Amino acid sequence: MSVPNEENLSHSQLSTHFFLDLLDSIIVDVASECHRVARLGLDSNLEEEDEELKLSAQARVRAADPSNTNEANGKYVVDIFGQTHPAVANEIFECMNCGRSIMAGRFAPHLEKCMGKGRKARLKVTRSSTAAQNRYSRGSPVSTYSNYSTNCMNRLANGSSIFAGDEHSNGTLES
Amino acid sequence: MSSKINGQISPQPCPHLAEFRRNSTKPFLALHSCLRIKPPGGRAALRRDPHEVPRCAACGLSAPSRLLACVTCAAISCHSAAASHAAAHAASMSPGHQIAVDVDRAELFCCACRDQVYDRDFDAAVVIAQTAASTVGESPAPQPENLRKKRRVDYRPWAPDLRERTLIGTCSGPIYGAGTGADPLPGFPRGLRGLNNLGNTCFMNSVLQALLHTPPLRNYFLSDRHNRFFCQKRNNGDGDGGGGAGKRNGGNGGNRNGRICLACDMDAMFSAVFSGDRAPYSPAKFLYSWWQHAANLASYEQQDAHEFFISMLDGIHEKVDKGRVKPHSEGKGDCCIAHKVFSGILRSDVTCMACGFTSTTYDPCIDISLDLEPNQGGSTKMATATSNHSCNGEADCMNPSQNCGTSTLMGCLKRFTRAERLGSDQKFFCRQCQVRQETLKQMSIRKLPLVSCFHIKRFEHSSTRKMSRKVDRYLQFPFSLDMSPYLSSTILRSRFGNRIFPFDGDEPDATDELCSELELFAVVTHSGKLDAGHYVTYLRLSNQWYKCDDAWVTQVDENIVRAAQCYMMFYVQKMLYYKATDKQAPS
């Protein structure tokens, strides 16, 4: 480190001097890096990103406006083709497992019993074959949680994350 | 001002640098041996002797803003905005002493222009020294196999020859004629059709809608690349329920329609959805096939849409006869249409904090799952004047002027590709140090897939606390997305100080920046609670947005989409390129 010319500086003045030298050095570090990024044209397109953020903010304001909630609530009168649809789909077709005529909106629960699947008959959970054996993957296998017994439930498995992102605590494998 | 070589901007040299280069046979050669690289970051400095403390020859100071070593005579002078012995040196010596190098930063400086200047060869020397330091004793990581450079070829439009035209005429019918019987409602985009909810199947419908409008996938099936009639005939001819990828037939009398093939069911769905009939379609056969493929997910319950997405792509992949085709884990991505469309390659670098040795691996991926940023401390790009918040001192919120209000997709991607210090409980064994060391890990995208699916981890499950929760926080996402800051070439380049040098992933083509520009075409959103929610998909067709809520298809303003709570976003590359193929063209 360089020592300033005056000999009789106090400790605090000396340390301030050294601190300012260090600070100068750090500032030039940043300036030098930014200069390089700018001169080589490596900075990303900030204006476009700004524009998207602005549009997004405006959109949210409009969406929060109570006069615009028709779409959001899902209260439909007609679709774009002029059709209406009942709450439970009423197309009738033949079950490909047993051959019976089933109404579309009730097909899934029928098929579940028909195929012998479902919560009670569920097979042993296996590791999802899609999870590539990635060295950094701590992704959980597909997990099921039998302690949730409500009818409509979103499957919660922490995705078959194929590769490492940050890790979450993973569900346990249930047998 | 600058020219592009190797996809990298090379700025025009100042006249002094240009002259210096003209006059020296091997400029900067002497500097090679003076480059010292400091682990783990790889910061480059110049020292003749490793323990040298450089001082200004004129005034003896060793800590002004910059210490510059003349490239011609190695004299060290100080330089700051206020006083510059370096400028004096350049002026007083005969011409040829204007170019100097900042010894602490390994940056070239023109003392006459008083500005930092850039040179390819100098940067190349620095990068070589840095690379050597981080891979001592080992050759650099081998390139992932399927990225052997293939020559880019020009698009040649195809037109049917006479024989093909006859075939088309006799064996196909138009998708629809506007206003004719098949589709009495002209003016709506093709393939827009509702999907009936078969009983808590909105998770499936939402993903199917996105896939039905995924351009490369749509083109594949509508071009008859997987003909379900041929496929079933061939499979049944092999003997029903035979080996290969044959799936369980779900017990009870089995499948009466031949072998399960999700691709065949997709083909049927594409045909139906693009037929011009606008009454909602019931994907019952698809559900049936999928439940046989993914037996553990087969139950009448709401499922996770992302899980379904992964599972069904896997189902399409597995359908391919295993004997003929290499499995996806080799990263080839040529195995099936699902991987051709969605498969990308991720690069993971693990750097030893002690010695800088970096270990690199490549892994294929079908999508990218992103964590929402923690707390309210989201990070966005701009330092806005309106932001008064200070960040909570979170380690990943470095810039105090960032707006901490909104989470953004780009923020999540930035977080995904940031260099992360792994905890001391996760030490890796460093081959160079021969002990376990703390490491720095950084992910980047080595190869961008044709279609990128971003999945936001909104459902958190904690096995310890035996509870789950949904994160409802809004995430901003752009309609146009440039992925270049997250590509391996960019990440690597910035790790090496943004030097001018072709990095892993650089395409030798000036127009490659278009490859990383993506356009949004589908958004799957989730609303409601964890255990009682609903999935809806928004589709962008001809820059018009449509909401697909099971059977209900309605047109919406783009603001509705922007304000929605995204769960999965589908982006497609704006520009697709053709690469030379090894295959012979069919005669």
Side-chain angles (χ1 to χ4, degrees), chain A residues 13 18 34 44 50 62 66 102 126 134 142-143 158:
Chain A
Q13 282 169 315
F18 293 142
C34 292
S44 50
D50 260 357
R62 275 197 216 132
I102 309 288
T126 54
N134 177 335
V142 169
S143 311
N158 188 14

Side-chain angles (χ1 to χ4, degrees), chain B residues 62 122 244 296 307 395 430 452 472 510 529:
Chain B
S62 62
F122 178 73
N296 55 323
E307 209 174 299
C430 171
S452 302
D472 270 309
K529 296 211 253 300

Side-chain angles (χ1 to χ4, degrees), chain B residues 434-452:
Chain B
Q434 291 288 308
V435 286
R436 296 186 93 82
Q437 297 280 19
E438 287 198 8
T439 53
L440 208 60
K441 187 177 102 172
Q442 188 166 34
M443 304 288 303
S444 57
I445 299 173
R446 175 60 180 86
K447 175 180 158 256
L448 208 52
L450 278 184
V451 175
S452 302

Side-chain angles (χ1 to χ4, degrees), chain B residues 28 30 69 83 95-96 105 137 176 213 234 269 284 301 334 401 459 466 505 511 515 574 577:
Chain B
F28 314 125
R105 297 176 187 89
Y176 65 75
H213 295 274
R234 184 180 64 224
M269 198 178 326
E301 281 173 338
D334 282 344
S401 61
F459 301 113
K466 287 258 182 273
T511 51
C515 284
K574 236 166 135 166
Y577 285 93

Side-chain angles (χ1 to χ4, degrees), chain B residues 12 21 27-28 30 42 117 129 156 179 227 234 254 267 292 337 406 447 499 505-506 569 580 586:
Chain B
Q12 291 288 45
R21 286 197 58 98
F28 314 125
V117 292
R156 278 189 306 271
N227 184 302
R234 184 180 64 224
D267 185 47
Q292 291 179 68
I337 185 60
T406 319
K447 175 180 158 256
R499 301 280 167 178
D506 272 343
M569 287 150 286

Side-chain angles (χ1 to χ4, degrees), chain B residues 50 110 172 248 250 334 357 415 425 470 531 537 571:
Chain B
C110 175
S172 64
R248 282 160 280 195
D334 282 344
F357 177 74
R415 210 161 156 266
D425 55 335
K470 180 194 173 194
D531 50 357
T537 298
Y571 288 84

Side-chain angles (χ1 to χ4, degrees), chain B residues 234 244-245 316-337 339-340 583:
Chain B
R234 184 180 64 224
I316 291 181
H317 168 75
E318 291 216 7
K319 161 257 165 254
V320 174
D321 181 6
K322 279 200 167 111
R324 283 189 293 131
V325 167
K326 295 170 185 121
H328 179 241
S329 55
E330 280 195 22
K332 283 252 167 196
D334 282 344
C335 45
C336 64
I337 185 60
H339 287 120
K340 272 201 188 113
K583 296 193 215 137

Side-chain angles (χ1 to χ4, degrees), chain B residues 133-191:
Chain B
S134 71
T135 54
V136 168
E138 291 211 358
S139 49
Q143 287 285 328
E145 210 185 286
N146 64 333
L147 288 176
R148 257 169 302 132
K149 297 279 188 234
K150 281 192 193 152
R151 200 173 35 92
R152 196 166 272 174
V153 294
D154 286 332
Y155 170 66
R156 278 189 306 271
W158 170 84
D161 62 25
L162 193 57
R163 185 188 70 98
E164 285 159 339
R165 246 182 283 147
T166 319
L167 253 176
I168 293 171
T170 54
C171 304
S172 64
I175 290 185
Y176 65 75
T180 62
D183 179 20
L185 300 156
F188 290 114
R190 301 166 204 229

